[in-house]
Amino acid sequence: TQLMGVVKIYSLKASSTTSYAPNSITFQLNAVISYQYDGKQYEIWAQNVMLYNTETHNLVFVDNLWNFTSLHANITGVEGSGNISVADIRSHYITFYYDYAKTPGSNITVSLPAEIMLLSNVTTNLKGEPVLCFWYNDGYGWQKYDEVTIANAPGSTNVYFHIDGYN
């Protein structure tokens, strides 16, 4: 299963003083991955994100995964290019958070108007583990910038993007 989003920028100005991403804005392709493992249903919120700096016209691509099953669900066997963390959100510790934020795109300065595409897909590997792939196309062809495997769920079934208006 795959989802694609297209961003067309003709003119855009963002003002921000944050040190993380000054003068930047994000565009996000958000989806919930659903799968069954060991008789239980799991859901992970996947974010495929493009950060666009309106001053420099540079792009950075980021992916995030969040435990969307329940507060203390055991979704920990994640393998990819990023890091697993614990996030404190309103005094609730979310025990699963994965982040990969090291992809500067094709190291180009985007000329406006610009069209950038984000693609996320989910499948299973030979062990039946859910595999999520994050792609972008910034005008220089499709690039897969991260592949994440839920390695503690071999033999998973019904692996798909759950889209119903609530997720």
Side-chain angles (χ1 to χ4, degrees):
T1 308
Q2 63 184 15
L3 300 172
M4 184 176 78
V6 178
V7 177
K8 293 184 180 184
I9 304 172
Y10 296 95
S11 176
L12 184 61
K13 179 76 172 162
S15 297
S16 171
T17 58
T18 63
S19 60
Y20 170 69
N23 305 308
S24 297
I25 188 168
T26 65
F27 297 92
Q28 301 181 12
L29 180 60
N30 290 294
V32 174
I33 291 91
S34 180
Y35 64 95
Q36 290 181 334
Y37 171 68
D38 198 25
K40 297 178 183 153
Q41 187 72 29
Y42 293 91
E43 292 189 329
I44 297 173
W45 174 19
Q47 297 178 299
N48 188 347
V49 180
M50 177 189 78
L51 186 131
Y52 173 67
N53 185 306
T54 63
E55 291 291 318
T56 64
H57 303 284
N58 290 328
L59 303 173
V60 173
F61 295 91
V62 178
D63 61 291
N64 300 301
L65 300 177
W66 295 87
N67 169 6
F68 214 54
T69 305
S70 70
L71 187 58
H72 301 290
N74 183 25
I75 305 173
T76 55
V78 180
E79 297 174 357
S81 301
N83 299 305
I84 296 176
S85 302
V86 174
D88 179 6
I89 300 175
R90 288 175 276 208
S91 298
H92 294 286
Y93 290 93
I94 306 301
T95 57
F96 172 74
Y97 166 69
Y98 169 92
D99 175 57
Y100 179 64
K102 298 178 183 172
T103 307
S106 297
N107 281 319
I108 59 162
T109 300
V110 176
S111 299
L112 300 182
E115 180 177 281
I116 299 98
M117 293 177 274
L118 298 171
L119 178 77
S120 301
N121 70 308
V122 63
T123 187
T124 55
N125 61 19
L126 292 175
K127 296 178 184 176
E129 299 163 332
V131 177
L132 298 90
C133 296
F134 297 92
W135 302 75
Y136 69 86
N137 184 337
D138 58 4
Y140 291 87
W142 286 104
Q143 301 293 321
K144 179 168 60 171
Y145 71 95
D146 200 7
E147 181 174 302
V148 181
T149 301
I150 311 301
N152 66 340
S156 292
T157 58
N158 298 322
V159 180
Y160 64 96
F161 285 117
H162 184 156
I163 301 171
D164 65 3
Y166 296 100
N167 296 332

